[in-house]
């Protein structure tokens, strides 16, 4: 028997510890089995019915001895791997594969789900997890034997989306499941995930009852203000303050502990000392609480020990079927009339509106809500996720994706739990609802690339975030980038024109017909080119005529209106004229710098019609530039991840399996690239400029592809393009043309098509083989059109195969 080229006893793979959601929305925690699970495994088998045991053993029930069952807790995590889904401290479901020593790319897989969880979707969840882990360990096919009347398990395989072969028909059906990430499998997993996420978040965002543990009698304390906000915020369900030393808090009857409540609340807010939080969360799990918001501080922000404590808290909550927000957060707000919820200690509560926001900073959330209220920017929902150890930004995106009250989503993001999932969800949501984000990321170009590929509008500050939100919440994105500027003062107009140019906008001359319409209507000294200068004597009628004509011009996509009150009177009449003109052309956005104020000025607010106003006109131009770029992204074909000819994935897997972690020998690296259609030629430098293509497995963003020219362009000018895999054909096309040095390449004449194809082949290779930790092609000689590219040298580094299983 040939020994497979794998280490025999890799260490425990912590990367396979993942939270999970089953179809019903129930939370669980999936992790590899451990030796100390032996007793837990015996107890699990002891709960299984005769029918379940018969399906599992494919025949008559024979109760195995405990010592044999205990051996199942000892695996090498590579040739044999078992994953458990937890229900509290107990096993709810188990999946195990055993590699075939004769065919190392095949493994037998078995599933066992506890009887009381067999209709909840644990089988499909565990299949997705075991398929990803097996794929990362060099297994291509999972084989399973299923009794013909085991309809549930058959449906799991047939409905998974993975390529399956079944047969021959008989009492026992043999399945072969190809675990490569087929598009259909990914799509079905996404639909299942979206349904499960929304169900799991319902007790958090639309609870029927709420407990506040750590409620306080003293006003202006966190525990008191949460209760008070719930009561005065219009929550329709039951509010249960929990405090053993109080009878009433904020007018509501208090209870000694969560165990003393008349019913198990859907949601519990925890505002106690950090050391008491684990015990409180355990009590919540015991009584059946479905979601917990930990307001308390003293966790990850205190150091490694605090971080470990909050991660253990998240694991326990997941295994107990609860969702957890926080710790170190300020709560949850929902302004929907049917689900009004102000579960926060913030003194400023938002007014109802169409903007939803997730913030990862608790203290910042207080300022955010106060500022939004002063801007009169209404919110449909607000969630302060704090350290985000469980409920994540991408899950909230999936909630607001289907929320009819939300039309714009704002994100304050400090870290990504799963950047690939965020990108996948954002790409799905952003075409329908604009996503605006502020991120202080250390790897700025990678963050920008992740957002740009996903259609997310990235802003540089919170001020800019809200400036853009004001526009998108009240006006449509512009159909193009051509702007009319209407003013009664020349100086502010000049500033606006400069800001438009800096934001990617144009201020073109008006059409001749528009100018002919305006000349007789405006004052003799008015300038009817663009900007349209109405002069200080402009009246409301002049503003209306100018704005009507500009918006009717086919060469104009949006208008910025400037009104300087010291130069004119009757601002209410001017505001009314602006609103009338905006209402007549709802397809083109109108913005204003009006009265020196910001937000939703009373004069520019009429029912549902709002013209956002900005203190300075540059902010209006910047916001409009973001909105125009977003509309361009939304209306541009997304591109596809193409099927590439000449790819031999099986050969690549064999080569990778033959190598130890670390640098790959040069000859093997060349052969590995050749299996994806990339030739390493070597030789002397040839004509044309030299470039480089690299891939780095970033711990935050996953594989990041970088492209630039060698020498001073990259080193001194930082002229490097980044994209996050997987790349579509459009991503590759935009990437290789996004350098500032692109005009130089165009003048010299290079084969852009061959360069794009090389980028796509690299993307496919690292997506198919997550063991690739780093790759560098340097130099890549860019040859004339039709001659392709020449890779002169390549290096590849592999990570430890047991650390590559988390990506799927």
């Amino acid at each position: 028997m040939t020994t497979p080229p794998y280490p025999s006893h890799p260490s425990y793979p912590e990367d396979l510890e993942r939270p999970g959601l089953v179809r019903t929305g129930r939370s669980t925690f999936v992790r590899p089995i451990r030796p100390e699970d032996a007793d837990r495994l015996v107890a699990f088998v002891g709960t299984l019915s005769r029918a379940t045991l018969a399906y599992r053993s494919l025949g008559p029930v024979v109760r195995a001895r405990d010592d044999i069952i205990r051996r199942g807790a000892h695996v090498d995590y590579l040739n044999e791997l078992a994953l458990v889904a937890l229900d509290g401290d107990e096993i709810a479901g188990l999946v195990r594969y055993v590699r075939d020593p004769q065919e190392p790319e095949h493994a037998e897989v078995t599933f066992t789900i506890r009887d009381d969880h067999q209709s909840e979707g644990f089988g499909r969840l565990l299949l997705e997890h075991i398929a990803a882990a097996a794929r990362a360990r060099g297994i291509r096919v999972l084989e399973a034997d299923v009794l013909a009347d085991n309809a549930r398990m058959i449906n799991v395989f047939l409905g998974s989306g993975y390529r399956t072969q079944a047969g021959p028909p008989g009492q026992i059906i043999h399945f072969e499941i190809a675990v490569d990430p087929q598009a259909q499998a990914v799509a079905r997993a996404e639909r299942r995930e979206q349904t499960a996420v929304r169900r799991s978040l319902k007790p958090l965002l639309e609870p029927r009852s709420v407990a506040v543990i750590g409620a306080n009698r003293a006003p202006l304390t966190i525990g008191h203000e949460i209760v008070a906000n719930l009561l005065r915020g219009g929550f329709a369900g039951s509010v249960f303050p929990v405090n053993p030393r109080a009878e009433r808090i904020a007018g509501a009857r208090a209870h000694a502990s969560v165990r003393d409540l008349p019913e198990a609340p859907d949601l519990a807010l925890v505002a106690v000392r950090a050391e008491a939080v684990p015990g409180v969360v355990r009590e919540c799990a015991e009584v059946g609480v479905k979601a917990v918001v930990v307001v308390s501080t003293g966790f990850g922000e205190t150091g490694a020990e605090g971080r470990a404590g909050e991660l253990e808290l998240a694991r326990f909550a997941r295994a107990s079927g609860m969702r957890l927000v926080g710790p170190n957060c300020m709560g949850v707000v929902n302004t929907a009339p049917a689900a009004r919820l102000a579960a926060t200690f913030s003194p400023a509560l938002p007014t109802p509106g169409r903007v939803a926001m997730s913030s990862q900073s608790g203290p910042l959330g207080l300022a955010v809500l106060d500022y939004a209220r002063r801007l009169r920017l209404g919110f449909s929902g607000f969630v302060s996720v704090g350290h985000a150890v469980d409920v994540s930004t991408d899950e909230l995106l999936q909630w607001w994706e289907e929320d009819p009250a939300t039309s714009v989503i704002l994100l304050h993001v400090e870290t990504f739990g799963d950047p690939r999932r965020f990108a996948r969800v954002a790409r799905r949501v952003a075409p329908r609802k604009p996503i605006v984000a502020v991120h202080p990321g250390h790897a700025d170009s990678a963050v920008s690339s992740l957002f740009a590929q996903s259609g997310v509008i990235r802003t540089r500050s919170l001020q800019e975030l809200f400036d853009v939100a004001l526009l998108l919440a009240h006006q449509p994105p512009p159909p193009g980038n051509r702007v009319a500027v209407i003013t009664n003062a020349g100086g502010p107009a000049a500033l606006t024109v400069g800001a438009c140019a800096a934001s990617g906008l144009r201020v073109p001359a008006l059409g001749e017909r528009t100018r002919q319409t305006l000349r007789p209507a405006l004052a003799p000294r008015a300038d009817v080119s663009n900007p349209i200068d109405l002069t200080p004597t402009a009246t409301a009628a002049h503003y209306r005529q100018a704005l009507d004509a500009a918006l009717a011009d086919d060469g104009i996509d949006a208008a910025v209106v400037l009104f300087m009150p010291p130069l004119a009177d009757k601002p209410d009449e001017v505001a009314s004229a602006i609103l009338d003109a905006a209402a007549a052309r709802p397809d083109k956005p109108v913005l204003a710098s009006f009265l020196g104020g910001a937000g939703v000025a009373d004069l520019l607010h009429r029912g549902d019609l709002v013209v956002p106003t900005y203190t300075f006109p540059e902010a209006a131009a910047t916001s409009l530039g973001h909105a125009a770029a977003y509309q361009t992204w939304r209306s541009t074909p997304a591109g596809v991840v193409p099927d590439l000819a000449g790819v031999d994935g099986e050969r690549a897997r064999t080569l990778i399996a033959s190598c130890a972690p670390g640098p790959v020998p040069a000859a093997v690296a060349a052969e590995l690239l050749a299996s994806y259609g990339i030739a390493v030629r070597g030789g002397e430098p040839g004509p044309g400029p030299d470039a480089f293509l690299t891939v780095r497995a970033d711990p935050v963003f996953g594989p990041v592809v970088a492209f630039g020219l060698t020498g001073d362009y990259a080193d001194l000018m930082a002229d490097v393009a980044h994209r996050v895999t997987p790349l579509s054909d459009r991503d590759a096309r935009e990437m290789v043309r996004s350098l500032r040095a692109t005009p130089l390449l165009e003048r010299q004449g290079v084969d852009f098509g061959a360069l794009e194809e090389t980028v796509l082949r690299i993307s496919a290779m690292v997506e198919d083989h997550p063991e690739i930790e780093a790759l560098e092609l340097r130099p890549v000689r860019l040859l004339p059109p039709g001659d392709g590219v020449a890779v002169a040298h390549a290096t590849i580094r592999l990570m430890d195969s047991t650390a590559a299983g988390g990506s799927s």
Side-chain angles (χ1 to χ4, degrees):
M1 182 175 68
T2 302
T3 302
Y6 301 104
S8 58
H9 293 289
S11 59
Y12 177 80
E14 291 187 2
D15 61 292
L16 296 184
E17 293 187 344
R18 293 291 182 88
L21 293 172
V22 296
R23 184 184 64 252
T24 60
R26 179 185 177 83
S27 175
T28 185
F29 190 75
V30 178
R31 64 165 172 80
I33 203 164
R34 300 191 288 242
E36 55 267 33
D37 290 323
D39 289 341
R40 190 176 283 111
L41 188 57
V42 170
F44 169 67
V45 174
T47 67
L48 302 178
S49 68
R50 291 180 178 273
T52 295
L53 285 171
Y55 283 131
R56 172 64 182 81
S57 61
L58 305 181
V61 176
V62 178
R63 178 76 164 92
R65 298 201 317 266
D66 286 357
D67 60 333
I68 295 176
I69 296 173
R70 289 174 185 276
R71 291 177 197 168
H74 298 265
V75 298
D76 65 10
Y77 303 115
L78 187 61
N79 298 314
E80 183 179 7
L81 174 66
L83 303 178
V84 294
L86 297 178
D87 175 18
D89 291 330
E90 300 176 345
I91 297 173
L94 179 146
V95 61
R96 182 189 306 271
Y97 79 63
V98 179
R99 192 191 300 267
D100 185 340
Q102 302 299 325
E103 294 185 84
E105 292 187 342
H106 287 237
E108 180 185 5
V109 65
T110 56
F111 294 79
T112 312
I113 311 299
R114 209 170 70 192
D115 289 70
D116 54 341
H117 290 300
Q118 286 183 2
S119 298
E120 298 180 7
F122 276 90
R124 191 158 295 173
L125 175 70
L126 287 172
L127 174 59
E128 292 170 10
H129 282 253
I130 201 72
R135 185 166 62 244
R137 286 157 174 76
I139 294 170
R140 295 190 303 110
V141 177
L142 295 174
E143 300 186 23
D145 290 324
V146 183
L147 288 172
D149 62 344
N150 189 352
R152 284 176 177 155
M153 204 68 240
I154 291 171
N155 288 335
V156 165
F157 292 144
L158 295 179
S160 67
Y162 292 106
R163 288 186 294 119
T164 60
Q165 290 184 345
Q171 184 179 3
I172 296 176
I173 302 175
H174 180 76
F175 280 95
E176 292 192 357
I177 305 110
V179 298
D180 52 322
Q182 294 290 303
Q184 186 180 20
V186 172
R188 290 190 180 184
E190 286 185 2
R191 288 196 295 271
R192 187 197 64 78
E193 176 192 82
Q194 184 182 14
T195 300
V197 164
R198 289 188 56 79
R199 287 175 177 170
S200 77
L201 294 183
K202 191 174 180 65
L204 171 70
L205 298 170
E206 296 180 353
R208 294 167 298 180
S209 54
V210 181
V212 182
I213 304 169
N216 199 304
R217 286 174 292 189
L220 303 183
T221 60
I222 289 176
H224 183 278
E225 295 307 306
I226 294 174
V227 177
N229 279 341
L230 283 166
L231 295 173
R232 65 171 169 254
F235 179 62
S238 301
V239 177
F240 302 119
V242 176
N243 184 325
R245 294 180 295 277
E247 293 185 1
R248 303 191 75 81
I249 294 176
R253 179 192 169 195
H255 301 264
S257 77
V258 70
R259 291 192 179 94
D260 296 327
L261 300 180
E263 63 183 80
D266 283 344
L267 172 64
L269 286 95
V270 179
V272 300
R273 298 185 314 275
E275 58 268 25
V277 169
V280 168
V281 172
R282 184 170 291 276
E283 285 186 359
C284 289
E286 290 171 354
V287 302
V289 173
K290 298 181 179 66
V292 178
V293 174
V294 179
V295 176
S296 310
T297 60
F299 288 90
E301 74 276 11
T302 66
E305 185 176 349
R307 179 61 178 168
E310 67 185 18
L311 291 177
E312 181 56 36
L313 200 65
R315 291 189 190 99
F316 173 79
R318 279 287 196 163
S320 302
M322 294 190 301
R323 301 308 310 270
L324 186 146
V325 172
N328 192 11
C329 70
M330 55 167 288
V332 178
V333 175
N334 187 348
T335 66
R340 198 173 297 277
L341 176 71
T344 176
F345 56 88
S346 172
L349 296 179
T351 56
R354 305 198 63 78
V355 176
M357 183 172 184
S358 166
S359 172
Q360 279 192 304
S361 171
L364 185 63
L366 295 173
V368 161
L369 291 181
D370 179 65
Y371 184 63
R373 191 171 185 90
R374 285 190 281 119
L375 288 180
R376 291 185 62 186
L377 181 65
F379 276 51
S380 58
F382 178 87
V383 179
S384 169
V385 295
H387 295 170
V389 294
D390 178 24
V391 173
S392 60
T393 299
D394 57 81
E395 290 181 307
L396 292 171
L397 281 178
Q398 293 181 77
W399 175 270
W400 289 320
E401 176 183 10
E402 302 300 330
D403 179 19
T406 298
S407 58
V408 181
I409 301 171
L410 308 184
L411 306 176
H412 168 254
V413 186
E414 294 177 353
T415 59
F416 295 96
D418 186 337
R420 286 185 174 182
R421 185 167 67 173
F422 171 84
R424 188 180 73 240
V425 173
R427 282 181 175 182
R428 188 179 73 226
V429 177
R432 296 173 50 209
K433 299 184 179 184
I435 303 170
V436 191
V438 61
H439 182 282
H442 65 286
D444 189 76
S445 56
V447 179
S448 297
S449 297
L450 174 67
F451 285 164
Q453 285 177 258
S454 306
V456 176
I457 302 169
R458 187 186 185 189
T459 60
R460 294 165 293 185
S461 65
L462 282 168
Q463 175 71 60
E464 194 173 308
L465 178 90
F466 281 104
D467 287 343
V468 176
L470 274 172
L471 168 58
L472 294 175
H474 301 300
Q475 294 285 307
N481 69 341
R482 301 163 300 179
V483 182
V485 178
I486 301 171
T487 183
N488 63 350
L495 291 174
T496 306
V497 171
C500 285
S503 301
L505 302 170
R506 296 173 50 223
V507 183
L510 299 176
E512 180 58 32
R513 179 178 297 179
T514 304
R515 293 198 297 271
Q516 290 177 358
T517 301
L518 286 175
R519 284 191 188 102
L522 302 181
R525 291 186 300 159
D527 185 344
V528 296
S529 54
N530 194 12
I532 305 172
D533 188 349
L534 303 177
T535 77
T537 62
T539 65
H542 292 144
Y543 269 97
R544 173 66 193 271
Q545 290 166 326
L547 190 50
D548 278 341
L551 293 176
D553 192 318
D554 291 338
I556 294 297
D557 302 305
V560 177
V561 183
L562 312 178
F563 177 74
M564 300 297 109
L567 305 178
D569 57 5
K570 299 183 178 179
D572 54 336
E573 294 181 5
V574 173
S576 181
I578 293 171
L579 287 169
D580 290 341
R585 286 306 300 259
D587 57 322
K588 295 184 179 182
V590 177
L591 299 78
S593 181
F594 203 75
L595 299 176
V600 179
D602 289 339
L603 293 178
L604 288 168
H605 187 183
R606 181 191 296 160
D608 293 335
L609 176 61
V610 173
V611 172
T613 62
Y614 299 85
T615 303
F616 300 109
E618 298 94 329
T622 300
S623 302
L624 193 57
H626 281 304
Y630 163 73
Q631 180 63 15
T632 298
W633 174 87
R634 188 167 69 167
S635 59
T636 301
V640 296
V641 178
D643 291 328
L644 299 168
V647 171
D648 189 347
E650 293 188 14
R651 177 60 180 157
R653 277 187 284 269
T654 301
L655 290 167
I656 290 173
S658 70
C659 296
V664 172
V668 178
E671 192 174 352
L672 181 57
L673 286 161
S675 69
Y676 273 78
I678 302 172
V680 180
R681 303 181 187 179
E684 296 298 321
D690 282 349
F692 64 85
L693 282 165
T694 65
V695 180
R696 294 288 183 272
D698 188 275
V700 177
F701 301 105
V704 177
V705 182
F707 165 66
L709 300 185
T710 58
D712 292 345
Y713 289 102
D715 299 337
L716 299 181
M717 300 174 63
D719 192 13
V720 181
H722 295 84
R723 292 294 186 274
V724 181
T725 64
L727 273 68
S728 69
D729 53 359
R730 181 175 182 83
D731 293 330
R733 184 165 57 252
E734 292 177 347
M735 180 183 188
V736 303
R737 289 170 170 79
S738 64
L739 299 182
R740 293 193 296 276
T742 296
L744 171 66
L745 299 179
E746 291 173 340
R747 287 196 299 272
Q748 291 184 340
V750 301
D751 194 337
F752 279 107
L755 180 57
E756 292 168 21
E757 184 176 327
T758 302
V759 169
L760 289 170
R761 291 181 181 277
I762 287 175
S763 172
M765 186 166 70
V766 298
E767 281 292 300
D768 291 346
H769 308 287
E771 303 93 336
I772 297 175
E773 184 175 41
L775 177 152
E776 182 169 353
L777 309 183
R778 184 192 296 262
V780 178
R781 289 161 189 152
L782 307 182
L783 304 178
D787 292 342
V789 299
V791 178
H793 183 69
T795 59
I796 296 176
R797 172 182 289 274
L798 301 180
M799 67 177 70
D800 186 334
S801 63
T802 62
S807 299
S808 63

